[in-house]
Amino acid sequence: MNGWAIPAAICLGLAAGVLSGVFGVGGGILFVPTLLLLGLGQVEAGATSLLAIVPTAATGALRQRSYGNLRVRAAVIIGAVSILGAELGVQIATRVDEDVIRRAFGVLLLLVAARLALGVLRQRRRYPDVS
């Protein structure tokens, strides 16, 4: 990492932590694009993001648990099955061209953004007097 990359990484970590606490976002949506801008390859950014998410997710989950918002059983089931999915994803990521992965990630971000926008539009139609 060069001289400006370390302060950028610190800002990224802080921003991802805040967004994780507010929205339940693990940070990957922020981490990967920013790590790409910092010069990492797509696969490196994904792998780095996976490890960086661990403390963020653990801290957020523990704090949310103290408020009674955590559903441990659902989290354990999803987490256990996602281990298999992560292993499969790593196998795919190491065999597929990085440009293909980068484009697929971009499509994923667009689909998530579209889904969120549609949800807001539906809610506005359902409750037009709420701003």
Side-chain angles (χ1 to χ4, degrees), residues 79-99:
V81 175
S82 71
I83 292 170
L84 298 173
E87 180 58 37
L88 178 62
V90 168
Q91 295 301 319
I92 293 168
T94 56
R95 288 176 171 80
V96 175
D97 184 73
E98 282 201 39
D99 287 336

Side-chain angles (χ1 to χ4, degrees), residues 6-112:
I6 292 173
I10 291 169
C11 291
L12 169 62
L14 180 62
V18 170
L19 292 175
S20 173
V22 173
F23 299 118
V25 174
I29 289 175
L30 273 180
F31 286 154
V32 173
T34 305
L35 290 169
L36 291 171
L37 291 174
L38 294 177
L40 273 66
Q42 182 70 40
V43 174
E44 290 174 317
T48 303
S49 172
L50 287 172
L51 183 57
I53 289 169
V54 171
T56 304
T59 301
L62 289 173
R63 291 294 297 142
Q64 288 290 2
R65 183 174 184 231
S66 71
Y67 293 110
N69 296 327
L70 179 64
R71 300 296 174 254
V72 175
R73 184 175 183 195
V76 168
I77 292 169
I78 293 167
V81 175
S82 71
I83 292 170
L84 298 173
E87 180 58 37
L88 178 62
V90 168
Q91 295 301 319
I92 293 168
T94 56
R95 288 176 171 80
V96 175
D97 184 73
E98 282 201 39
D99 287 336
V100 173
I101 297 170
R102 185 175 294 117
R103 287 185 186 119
F105 185 71
V107 169
L108 173 65
L109 292 178
L110 290 172
L111 290 172
V112 169

